[in-house]
Amino acid sequence: MPFNETVIGLTQYSVNAYASTATTIVPGTAVKLDTLPVGIKADEIFFKVSVASPTDVFFGVVGLNKNLTDKSTQRVVMANAALMPVLLNAAGTKYDYFKVKTADGKFEKAVTGETSDVQLMESAMKGELCWARPMRVKI
């Protein structure tokens, strides 16, 4: 089934954020939280995030509107969302458990002994966006 980006509204589950470093992060990429909003000046009222690796705490994924950079804000869908778009590094089928497994924040199938980050809600191929629900389950 092709990815349909209008299947759910993500506004209530997302926050505005900047990238912490001079990098471009594409939609569906897993991110970790670096800094909470701390002040009232221009860039201090936004979350600051960076690409999540397998050892980081999964905060959410970059929203669908545009790429996330250190120069412009983008919505980040937090890990408490009902559904979230995830970028796959390996093909998966509906109801497979996936976790962040690459240094560039992409998701791969969780294997025995690992704790998943999301459960796929549709089948997708490598490199595609896929709807998933956050689900931490020990496999």
Side-chain angles (χ1 to χ4, degrees):
M1 170 171 29
F3 180 77
N4 180 355
E5 66 184 56
T6 61
V7 75
I8 186 173
L10 299 172
T11 305
Q12 67 271 30
Y13 301 113
S14 59
V15 295
N16 280 323
Y18 279 112
S20 294
T21 59
T23 185
T24 299
I25 309 171
V26 299
T29 302
V31 293
K32 66 178 178 174
L33 178 63
D34 290 330
T35 308
L36 289 168
V38 294
I40 59 172
K41 292 191 296 184
D43 65 338
E44 294 178 345
I45 62 173
F46 299 107
F47 288 81
K48 292 205 176 159
V49 298
S50 59
V51 175
S53 68
T55 58
D56 295 324
V57 176
F58 170 63
F59 177 69
V61 296
V62 177
L64 295 171
N65 297 340
K66 60 182 180 176
N67 294 340
L68 175 67
T69 68
D70 62 332
K71 304 287 186 226
S72 64
T73 62
Q74 160 60 317
R75 303 294 285 182
V76 170
V77 181
M78 296 185 296
N80 68 341
L83 289 177
M84 61 178 35
V86 296
L87 184 59
L88 301 184
N89 195 50
T93 57
K94 189 174 182 178
Y95 302 129
D96 281 348
Y97 292 101
F98 272 57
K99 71 175 284 151
V100 179
K101 281 209 181 174
T102 65
D104 59 350
K106 293 180 182 174
F107 292 81
E108 290 183 7
K109 192 169 184 173
V111 296
T112 303
E114 293 180 328
T115 300
S116 68
D117 290 321
V118 297
Q119 182 182 30
L120 300 186
M121 293 291 100
E122 61 185 347
S123 298
M125 301 302 294
K126 176 181 180 176
E128 292 183 340
L129 284 171
C130 176
W131 286 111
R133 64 179 171 185
M135 179 139 334
R136 295 195 51 85
V137 175
K138 180 88 169 178
I139 306 297

